[in-house]
Amino acid sequence: MSGYELNDLHPLAPYVVELIGVKDGALTSTVEDRAFTLDAGTSFGNGALGGHFRSLKNSYSGRAALIDPPVKMRIGDRPSSVMLITNYFDRSGLGSPNLALGGTTGQAYVMGLNSTGVITTPAWGAEVHSSVDATEPMTLCVAWTGSPEKVATIILNGEQLATRDGDFTYGVDAYYNAIGARPGHGSVTADFVWVVFFQKTLSPAEVQGLISTLGPNNAFGLVKGVQRGRSNPLFLTPF
């Protein structure tokens, strides 16, 4: 791997299953060697938080980055969280075409944002209202308690939007294989800076703590050498 190195001193580092970021105009993985196949029309650019990968909305097929091997998460009976950090997210339109992350095997969290609010399934097949300006840097996290509680929480820019009972089958392994789409179900135009998978139920305070380490040039407290270490004025609150 030629990407970032995980910052072992960060208290959340032991729970990171995978951390995907952008470095030198390419997607890189941090924990395991992975290849990224880019669909036609996707690109790389720079924004407030540094380099990003841009996916393109294309109805249900999408223009995304495919991950090989997929990121495997145990989400049925164990605590887990998935977090997206973007420079920009096109939330226009309604319904499932605005999906940003998903998998084709297992009950992977399907995450997205549309003109009404946040989309996430199968934790629940509903939208949660939010008026956050996604043209600014944004972080979206779904945190899952596992069994026996089976509770999923949506955290947007460090603020808890909703907590609901989930419907996962115990012991289900989820395989995430695309950034910018759930192949065959929906897609989005967005600028992805980081995608992080945790085997831990993150709290709003922990998400806010991670946000505070973000900064220009891909600064992030979870990776070595590019920590910012102070409050980040680029992020807006969701209300």
Side-chain angles (χ1 to χ4, degrees):
M1 292 179 289
S2 58
Y4 297 98
E5 186 177 354
L6 193 65
N7 176 18
D8 295 332
L9 298 179
H10 195 284
L12 293 177
Y15 304 100
V16 174
V17 175
E18 186 59 275
L19 188 156
I20 296 172
V22 174
K23 186 175 184 180
D24 299 327
L27 284 164
T28 66
S29 56
T30 304
V31 177
E32 183 179 340
D33 282 316
R34 302 184 196 275
F36 299 90
T37 301
L38 308 184
D39 287 335
T42 59
S43 60
F44 292 92
N46 288 279
L49 296 179
H52 59 241
F53 163 73
R54 168 160 283 200
S55 63
L56 290 177
K57 189 182 212 176
N58 186 42
S59 186
Y60 293 98
S61 57
R63 297 288 182 263
L66 302 181
I67 309 168
D68 184 27
V71 179
K72 178 182 177 181
M73 291 279 286
R74 181 84 170 189
I75 62 175
D77 58 356
R78 298 182 189 174
S80 60
S81 301
V82 181
M83 186 167 66
L84 308 176
I85 299 170
T86 61
N87 277 327
Y88 168 81
F89 196 109
D90 179 8
R91 61 178 295 174
S92 62
L94 291 169
S96 61
N98 288 65
L99 297 181
L101 183 71
T104 56
T105 304
Q107 296 191 63
Y109 289 121
V110 179
M111 301 169 65
L113 193 67
N114 65 22
S115 58
T116 298
V118 177
I119 308 165
T120 179
T121 58
W124 63 91
E127 297 165 4
V128 180
H129 178 73
S130 173
S131 57
V132 66
D133 181 4
T135 63
E136 302 288 339
M138 181 193 78
T139 177
L140 172 61
C141 177
V142 175
W144 169 250
T145 61
S147 60
E149 298 90 354
K150 296 197 298 177
V151 173
T153 300
I154 288 180
I155 305 168
L156 184 61
N157 286 358
E159 298 288 335
Q160 179 175 309
L161 293 189
T163 298
R164 305 280 181 87
D165 291 338
D167 60 0
F168 290 100
T169 302
Y170 286 177
V172 168
D173 290 328
Y175 296 84
Y176 292 88
N177 68 344
I179 300 172
R182 187 188 186 201
H185 295 267
S187 58
V188 72
T189 296
D191 296 338
F192 295 89
V193 182
W194 302 101
V195 181
V196 194
F197 302 85
F198 299 89
Q199 206 71 71
K200 183 184 192 300
T201 308
L202 294 184
S203 68
E206 287 172 321
V207 174
Q208 186 60 56
L210 289 170
I211 290 172
S212 73
T213 70
L214 292 163
N217 302 313
N218 299 84
F220 193 19
L222 279 174
V223 296
K224 290 183 178 179
V226 287
Q227 294 90 20
R228 180 174 184 167
R230 59 185 176 88
S231 181
N232 178 15
L234 296 170
F235 267 82
L236 305 177
T237 57
F239 304 107

